[in-house]
Amino acid sequence: MNKGKQKIEMQNITLSLPKGLLQKIKHIAIARQTSVSSLSTETLEEIVRKENSYDKTKSGHILEKGFNLGTEGELTWSREDLYRDLNSGQYSGKVKVQNPFSK
């Protein structure tokens, strides 16, 4: 019967929904040939997966790890140099930074 499947302990909950929403959910469940309970479980599991994925991504975020700008830890330019280059549209040659997202 449940070959290779681990039995999961289930717990009932009481959920209050607007009648119109519940009717729509029932129609969706019928169209998918499943129950409202299964549909709810699948939807909530997806929310948990996304949240876990977000937490993992957030914990390994590039800004927390840092990334290589190609400066080898030394700045050859100042903030003023950067703004001067950006505002003038001309490149002074002082601001040298690699794209951290290029390979």
Side-chain angles (χ1 to χ4, degrees):
M1 294 182 160
N2 277 342
K3 292 181 181 177
K5 287 192 176 183
Q6 188 178 17
K7 186 171 181 167
I8 298 173
E9 184 179 349
M10 303 297 276
Q11 182 170 343
N12 291 333
I13 64 168
T14 301
L15 182 63
S16 297
L17 299 171
K19 286 183 180 183
L21 177 61
L22 181 57
Q23 287 301 317
K24 290 176 183 178
I25 292 170
K26 286 180 178 181
H27 287 289
I28 292 169
I30 290 168
R32 294 185 183 186
Q33 298 181 339
T34 189
S35 65
V36 170
S37 181
S38 292
L39 183 64
S40 300
T41 300
E42 290 171 17
T43 303
L44 292 170
E45 285 174 339
E46 181 63 23
I47 291 170
V48 170
R49 273 193 300 277
K50 285 180 181 178
E51 188 69 24
N52 287 342
S53 176
Y54 172 77
D55 288 344
K56 286 179 185 176
T57 301
K58 185 175 151 189
S59 68
H61 194 270
I62 192 168
L63 293 178
E64 292 174 4
K65 289 182 177 178
F67 47 82
N68 180 9
L69 294 175
T71 63
E72 297 179 9
E74 293 184 31
L75 294 179
T76 58
W77 45 270
S78 67
R79 172 179 266 180
E80 290 77 24
D81 293 329
L82 177 62
Y83 283 108
R84 186 177 52 250
D85 283 6
L86 289 173
N87 291 327
S88 71
Q90 295 184 7
Y91 177 61
S92 68
K94 286 187 176 183
V95 180
K96 295 179 182 177
V97 178
Q98 291 178 346
N99 181 345
F101 303 105
S102 66
K103 291 186 177 182

